[in-house]
Amino acid sequence: MRLPDEQLRAGHIPADLYRQIPPGTDLRRVVIIQEAPRSYTGPIVLTLVIAAGSIAVLLVIAFVTQIIAASIVSVLSASCGIGYTISRTSKRKKAPRALSK
């Protein structure tokens, strides 16, 4: 019986609680009520739901933005003959500099 919880379950009254009991009280009729241990599953699940929801919202925004951009380009190319091309150009590699003393 090392922990206070074990002492309370065995019927022992810890010294700090014993001092708070008024004199003349029958200790056999004293009931000590313990607070339930805190559960962390609720806050953890809430955090995961918020993170997943924010990621889903960002993906939907990106998808909608892509559709809007594609529709604008298609409307402009069909009506005005303007085209838009996305090109990926590689950056030129710089020539290594000569070391000077």
Side-chain angles (χ1 to χ4, degrees), residues 8 11 21 23 27 33-34 36 38 41 54 61 78-79 83 85-86 95 99:
L8 287 174
I21 298 174
L27 295 179
I33 300 174
Q34 288 182 282
R38 181 166 180 179
T41 55
S54 61
I61 289 172
S79 62
T85 305
I86 299 174
L99 296 175

Side-chain angles (χ1 to χ4, degrees), residues 1-18 27 30-34:
M1 289 192 307
R2 296 181 187 174
L3 301 174
D5 294 344
E6 293 173 352
Q7 292 177 355
L8 287 174
R9 276 188 247 118
H12 298 285
I13 300 174
D16 58 336
L17 291 177
Y18 186 74
L27 295 179
V30 172
V31 177
I32 299 173
I33 300 174
Q34 288 182 282

Side-chain angles (χ1 to χ4, degrees), residues 48-70:
L48 292 175
V49 167
I50 289 172
S54 61
I55 289 171
V57 166
L58 290 174
L59 287 174
V60 167
I61 289 172
F63 186 68
V64 168
T65 305
Q66 181 183 5
I67 290 174
I68 290 172

